[in-house]
């Protein structure tokens, strides 16, 4: 079963990711969305609605009701604007909501974006805010932090499959190497396996360099139908699948601690909708909020057998010139992780790849790309599949 | 599911918390299929029955399924850094996340633990297990 109307992305835009100082979500979103509009060749009168992924402008900027501020600042006047929140999958969910609104015929041209301004708060306050993305009653209350959830999964994965800290570190090393050629990435600095392993412990066995950073940034794309895309100058890329799944909020309610059942469920739905198998995918952006998350993602998405993700990463199979390039943008780890913007920035990276515009990080002959966006510790999963036209 | 009961959902989470404050682990049991849940749930995950009864989980021992040592934590737990949290599987089968007390060098997946609530903390934060010295 495909989408009721065929859907395309015709424009992309992103801000610089990093610690951006005295700037607000409204400015960041406006910059990303306006870039996407210019790239698509659409004007203000073409836009029917705005969707924005955002975790918590409430906590980070003392601003609730973010949605209307964005069309306000973009001078889009009275068009509808909707905020989606699904922890770190807020951006992926913004795109999915936008797709549903256009595929259903409700709208023709919409902006799907995401934004987060995180660096206003000191790290312990950010840690506290992110811990609210786990189960507040039964996890955060007994001291579980967000890195803590993934650390518990990492330890279980290591115990069951023999995955090592070196294998995890290899994912970070690759991310930093790829980010060197991404001008918008937060970090432009190579790291070594030793540097990762010698960085301070955050939640054992995850070191500082196993964790994605605290980041400000925004990303946006213009979504329309494949048919309508002909009216604009933007270079279209088709979206051939959009899938979402949930899982139990608390990790202890899941039978498996070494991976995400929700990733496997959402991947199966997406492959079926796209009419492809994992072997058909040429390039992926997965949700590497922590190095272990990338290892589990490439297994649960069906690219490698369970337990082989760490080996594949250490051996370079997921490098840009490897068999399956994973996170050529630098990923959450080195490109940065402005929570609500992340899901859309993954899409921006894949669209660049399928248009052949990824510069030094271009994957040869990329025709089909996939994004995987995880909310919290897997309570939400969003996968999209894209095809070169 | 035979008869559809009108659910009084409001007491499930509070009863669990009050239980910990009295030193009890409170779960719920599906009277249709017998499944037991900790923390308590109002609808059975397996058979979808709403015939749920709150009950005390008497199992106080179990094993560590996984754990982490938290070095960077939120402000309310800054005083105990670094601290250990883990997922415990009770001998009666239920799984729960809790603080873990014991020497860090003795931590390992599969280690035996026993319930040891922390009277110094409030509400759900009281839940703690202690590593059992296995000699
Ligand atoms: Zn039942």
């Amino acid at each position: 079963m495909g989408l009721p109307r065929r859907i395309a992305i015709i424009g992309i835009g992103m801000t610089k990711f990093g610690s951006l100082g005295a700037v607000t979500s409204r400015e960041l979103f406006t910059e990303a969305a306006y870039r996407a509009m210019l790239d698509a060749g659409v004007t203000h009168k073409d836009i029917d609605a705005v969707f924005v992924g955002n975790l918590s402008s409430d906590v980070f900027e003392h601003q609730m009701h973010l949605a209307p501020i964005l069309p306000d600042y973009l001078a889009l006047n009275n068009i509808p604007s909707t905020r989606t929140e699904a922890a770190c999958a807020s951006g992926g969910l913004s795109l999915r909501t936008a797709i549903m609104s256009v595929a259903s015929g409700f709208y023709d041209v919409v902006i799907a974006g995401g934004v987060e301004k995180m660096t206003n708060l000191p790290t312990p306050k950010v840690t506290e805010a992110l811990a609210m993305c786990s189960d507040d009653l039964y996890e955060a209350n007994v001291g579980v932090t967000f890195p803590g959830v993934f650390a518990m999964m990492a330890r279980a994965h290591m115990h069951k499959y023999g995955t090592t800290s070196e294998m995890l570190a290899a994912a970070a090393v690759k991310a930093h190497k790829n980010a060197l050629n991404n001008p918008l990435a937060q970090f432009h600095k190579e790291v070594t396996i030793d540097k990762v392993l010698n960085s301070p412990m955050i939640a054992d066995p995850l070191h500082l360099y196993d964790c994605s950073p605290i980041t400000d940034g925004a990303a946006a794309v213009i979504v329309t139908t494949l048919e309508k895309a002909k009216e604009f100058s933007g270079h279209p890329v088709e979206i051939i699948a959009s899938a979402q799944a949930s899982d139990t909020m608390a990790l202890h309610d899941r039978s498996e601690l070494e991976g995400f059942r929700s990733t496997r469920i959402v991947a199966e739905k997406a492959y079926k909708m796209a009419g492809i198998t994992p072997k058909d995918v040429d390039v992926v952006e997965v949700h590497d909020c922590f190095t272990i998350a990338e290892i589990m993602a490439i297994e649960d998405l069906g690219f490698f057998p369970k337990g082989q993700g760490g080996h594949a990463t250490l051996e370079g199979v997921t490098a840009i010139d490897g068999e399956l390039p994973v996170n050529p943008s630098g990923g959450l780890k080195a490109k940065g992780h402005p929570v609500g913007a992340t899901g859309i920035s993954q899409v921006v990276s894949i669209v660049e790849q399928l248009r052949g515009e990824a510069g030094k990080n271009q994957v040869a002959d990329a025709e089909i790309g996939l994004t995987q966006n995880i909310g919290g510790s897997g309570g939400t999963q969003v996968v999209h599949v894209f095809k070169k036209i | 599911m035979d008869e559809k009961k009108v659910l009084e959902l409001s007491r499930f989470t509070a009863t669990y918390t009050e239980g910990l404050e009295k030193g009890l682990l409170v779960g719920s049991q599906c009277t249709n299929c017998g499944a037991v849940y900790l923390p308590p749930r109002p609808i059975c995950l397996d058979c979808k029955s709403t015939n749920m009864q709150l009950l005390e989980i008497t199992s106080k021992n179990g094993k560590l399924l996984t754990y982490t040592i938290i070095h960077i934590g939120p402000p309310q737990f800054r005083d105990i850094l670094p601290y250990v949290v883990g997922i415990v599987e009770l001998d009666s089968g239920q799984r729960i996340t809790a603080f873990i007390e014991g020497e860090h060098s003795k931590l390992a997946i599969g280690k035996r633990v026993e319930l040891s609530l922390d009277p110094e903390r409030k509400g759900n934060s009281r839940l703690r297990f202690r590593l059992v010295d296995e000699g």
Side-chain angles (χ1 to χ4, degrees), chain A residues 249-316:
Chain A
M249 194 63 176
L251 202 57
H252 60 229
D253 279 333
R254 303 180 195 162
S255 56
E256 180 190 347
L257 301 174
E258 306 86 10
F260 290 117
R261 176 177 54 190
S262 52
T263 306
R264 293 196 296 275
I265 291 169
V266 79
E268 193 179 321
K269 285 185 192 182
Y271 293 140
K272 196 172 166 195
M273 185 180 257
I276 62 166
T277 70
K279 285 192 173 58
D280 298 317
V281 177
D282 301 311
V283 56
V284 294
E285 290 281 336
V286 302
H287 196 91
D288 61 327
C289 48
F290 301 95
T291 49
I292 184 63
E294 175 168 325
I295 307 296
M296 296 190 299
I298 59 178
E299 295 170 353
D300 293 328
L301 288 166
F303 300 127
F304 299 98
K306 208 64 203 156
Q308 292 302 306
H311 295 276
T313 305
L314 192 59
E315 287 156 16

Side-chain angles (χ1 to χ4, degrees), chain A residues 141-143 152 155 202 204 252, chain B residues 66-68 71 83 85 97 125:
Chain A
N141 258 309
V142 288
M152 289 195 285
R155 190 175 307 282
I202 300 294
D204 194 335
H252 60 229
Chain B
T66 188
Y67 66 93
T68 178
H71 292 264
Y83 59 87
V85 296
T97 309
S125 300

Side-chain angles (χ1 to χ4, degrees), chain B residues 57-78:
Chain B
I57 309 282
T58 52
S59 196
K60 302 284 189 262
N61 295 280
K63 65 177 182 188
L64 203 50
L65 291 182
T66 188
Y67 66 93
T68 178
I69 306 167
I70 305 279
H71 292 264
I72 302 288
Q76 71 268 36
F77 300 125
R78 196 180 294 158

Side-chain angles (χ1 to χ4, degrees), chain A residues 3 6 8 26 53 55 75 80 97 126 128 130 137 141 155 176 196 214 220 263 265 301 381:
Chain A
L3 295 159
R6 289 175 72 179
R26 66 186 80 184
L55 169 68
T97 310
V126 176
E128 185 182 19
L130 294 177
L137 285 181
N141 258 309
R155 190 175 307 282
H176 278 263
V196 177
I214 294 166
T263 306
I265 291 169
L301 288 166
Q381 294 264 358

Side-chain angles (χ1 to χ4, degrees), chain A residues 311-380:
Chain A
H311 295 276
T313 305
L314 192 59
E315 287 156 16
V317 182
T318 57
I320 287 175
D321 58 356
E323 267 169 64
L324 179 73
V326 174
N327 294 359
S329 69
L332 283 58
K333 174 69 195 82
K335 180 174 58 182
H337 183 25
V339 175
T342 284
I344 299 291
S345 92
Q346 294 178 313
V347 174
V348 167
S349 304
I350 290 294
V351 168
E352 281 177 348
Q353 288 287 346
L354 299 182
R355 287 178 176 181
E357 295 171 359
K360 286 183 181 164
N361 283 357
Q362 182 63 45
V363 169
D365 305 320
E367 296 202 346
I368 291 185
L370 179 148
T371 57
Q372 177 232 17
N373 194 195
I374 304 180
S377 46
T380 299

Side-chain angles (χ1 to χ4, degrees), chain A residues 5 17 58 96 104 108 169 191 213 225 227 237 249 258 298 324 328 350 359:
Chain A
R5 296 208 287 177
F17 277 12
D58 331 0
R96 181 169 157 78
S104 65
D108 288 324
V191 299
T225 64
E227 186 60 32
V237 163
M249 194 63 176
E258 306 86 10
I298 59 178
L324 179 73
I350 290 294

